[in-house]
Amino acid sequence: MSLIKIAVIPARGGSKRIPKKNIRLFNGKPIIAYSIEAALASQCFDHVVVSTDDESIAAVARAHGAETPYIRPAQLSDDFAGTNAVAAHAINWFNDSGFQVSHACCIYATAPFVTAELIQEGWKVLG
């Protein structure tokens, strides 16, 4: 079983205050693209995964280089689903698919100011 490091970007489709906020344009591109691009550019992860219940979010995520290997279950997509449960679901999905997750990092979809350098600094602290 191969050890892997994953970035999990939770992106629920059911935002009530700002509908479709994860794929709304921010400075010319979908806001989720910033998190995806930073995670990929950091080269800290074997897989950058967007965990979503919404196919339109999944399509935008894939267009920006993220993986969307599953659609998040409804019980993890309501107003009460926590980040820990969503990240655990992603870890379990990979573990059940023949991998062994050694490290998982949650990066919020609405974090346009995250950079590859900040992710790398965080990785060094874990080191």
Side-chain angles (χ1 to χ4, degrees):
M1 201 176 284
S2 58
L3 286 173
I4 61 168
K5 300 175 291 280
I6 64 172
V8 180
I9 302 173
R12 183 169 77 93
S15 177
K16 302 223 178 354
R17 288 178 290 187
I18 304 173
K20 301 286 188 179
K21 71 180 175 190
N22 296 306
I23 57 174
R24 284 209 148 171
L25 295 185
F26 179 80
N27 199 29
K29 62 183 166 183
I31 197 161
I32 195 172
Y34 295 92
S35 298
I36 294 168
E37 291 169 1
L40 291 168
S42 76
Q43 298 184 342
C44 291
F45 310 105
D46 299 302
H47 298 273
V48 174
V49 179
V50 171
S51 174
T52 186
D53 60 328
D54 186 288
E55 183 50 45
S56 61
I57 293 172
V60 169
R62 288 189 300 270
H64 288 276
E67 300 173 38
T68 57
Y70 57 83
I71 292 295
R72 190 187 320 163
Q75 68 268 24
L76 293 177
S77 301
D78 62 17
D79 292 343
F80 305 103
T83 302
N84 288 344
V86 170
H89 176 263
I91 293 166
N92 291 332
W93 187 91
F94 274 95
N95 288 342
D96 292 344
S97 297
F99 298 95
Q100 184 178 355
V101 176
S102 64
H103 295 80
C105 174
C106 179
I107 303 171
Y108 288 109
T110 54
F113 302 114
V114 68
T115 64
E117 293 77 21
L118 289 172
I119 294 168
Q120 290 167 343
E121 284 180 38
W123 185 256
K124 287 178 191 170
V125 170
L126 288 175

